[in-house]
Amino acid sequence: MNSPLTHFDASGRAHMVDVGAKDESHRVARAAGLIRMLPATFELVAQGRAAKGDVLGVARIAAIQGAKRTAELIPLCHPLPLTRVTVDFELDAAACCVRCEAQVETRGRTGVEMEALAAVQIGLLTVYDMLKAADRGMVIDGVRVLEKRGGKSGDWQAP
């Protein structure tokens, strides 16, 4: 079986990819997504009046923790020594949404796209958790990798 899906062996069974022979390099990934909410819920965040406290401050810490714990959540991910995780939130009043962007870096043998995606998802899930009493209909949307740098496959940027 000759497949571009590296998480399967020649017999089609799932396995953790052997990265031992790969060269170490500086690897960076950026991911983003958003959570849409009702205007009144958005105002709770914008004015810092959410009942559970500092929504974006807690979500930022959760997102960083999510990046650090990715290998525990996604079975075939390698545990990586992350060297940097940044998480930024942007309020968009016109769209009644909060955008989240994470950048994750390491010096290693495999990329950090999954860690960046996990950071965004966990950050947005935390926003949901902290605001769900006000708005159970919030929607997490558009989570994707924006960019990756480093490694044998080279640099990539979302169109």
Side-chain angles (χ1 to χ4, degrees), residues 41-58:
T41 309
F42 180 83
E43 286 305 314
L44 291 175
V45 177
Q47 296 174 7
R49 295 187 296 111
K52 289 187 176 182
D54 179 7
V55 173
L56 301 183
V58 173

Side-chain angles (χ1 to χ4, degrees), residues 56-70:
L56 301 183
V58 173
R60 180 174 288 106
I61 297 300
I64 293 167
Q65 190 68 14
K68 292 166 55 178
R69 305 292 290 266
T70 300

Side-chain angles (χ1 to χ4, degrees), residues 32-93:
L34 60 87
I35 184 167
R36 290 191 304 269
M37 58 195 67
L38 295 172
T41 309
F42 180 83
E43 286 305 314
L44 291 175
V45 177
Q47 296 174 7
R49 295 187 296 111
K52 289 187 176 182
D54 179 7
V55 173
L56 301 183
V58 173
R60 180 174 288 106
I61 297 300
I64 293 167
Q65 190 68 14
K68 292 166 55 178
R69 305 292 290 266
T70 300
E72 294 173 33
L73 299 169
I74 302 173
L76 301 178
C77 282
H78 292 82
L80 299 175
L82 303 182
T83 58
R84 183 171 187 243
V85 179
T86 62
V87 179
D88 293 308
F89 290 95
E90 176 187 320
L91 300 175
D92 183 339

Side-chain angles (χ1 to χ4, degrees), residues 3 17 37 81 84 90 95 97 107 110 120 126 137 151:
S3 170
V17 175
M37 58 195 67
R84 183 171 187 243
E90 176 187 320
C97 73
R107 178 142 186 90
T110 189
V120 169
T126 301

Side-chain angles (χ1 to χ4, degrees), residues 19-153:
V19 297
K22 291 173 122 184
D23 291 333
E24 284 193 358
S25 66
H26 180 227
R27 297 172 183 258
V28 179
R30 284 188 316 116
L34 60 87
I35 184 167
R36 290 191 304 269
M37 58 195 67
L38 295 172
T41 309
F42 180 83
E43 286 305 314
L44 291 175
V45 177
Q47 296 174 7
R49 295 187 296 111
K52 289 187 176 182
D54 179 7
V55 173
L56 301 183
V58 173
R60 180 174 288 106
I61 297 300
I64 293 167
Q65 190 68 14
K68 292 166 55 178
R69 305 292 290 266
T70 300
E72 294 173 33
L73 299 169
I74 302 173
L76 301 178
C77 282
H78 292 82
L80 299 175
L82 303 182
T83 58
R84 183 171 187 243
V85 179
T86 62
V87 179
D88 293 308
F89 290 95
E90 176 187 320
L91 300 175
D92 183 339
C96 288
C97 73
V98 176
R99 299 180 195 286
C100 176
E101 183 174 312
Q103 180 168 309
V104 179
E105 299 183 34
T106 192
R107 178 142 186 90
R109 291 182 165 93
T110 189
V112 287
E113 297 92 346
M114 297 308 297
E115 288 73 10
L117 288 166
V120 169
Q121 290 283 34
I122 296 299
L124 295 173
L125 284 168
T126 301
V127 170
Y128 183 95
D129 180 54
M130 293 190 71
L131 297 170
K132 68 184 178 218
D135 184 358
R136 295 201 186 275
M138 291 177 282
V139 175
I140 294 172
D141 198 10
V143 176
R144 67 188 187 128
V145 173
L146 299 175
E147 173 186 18
K148 68 138 306 262
R149 296 192 312 260
K152 185 173 129 182
S153 63

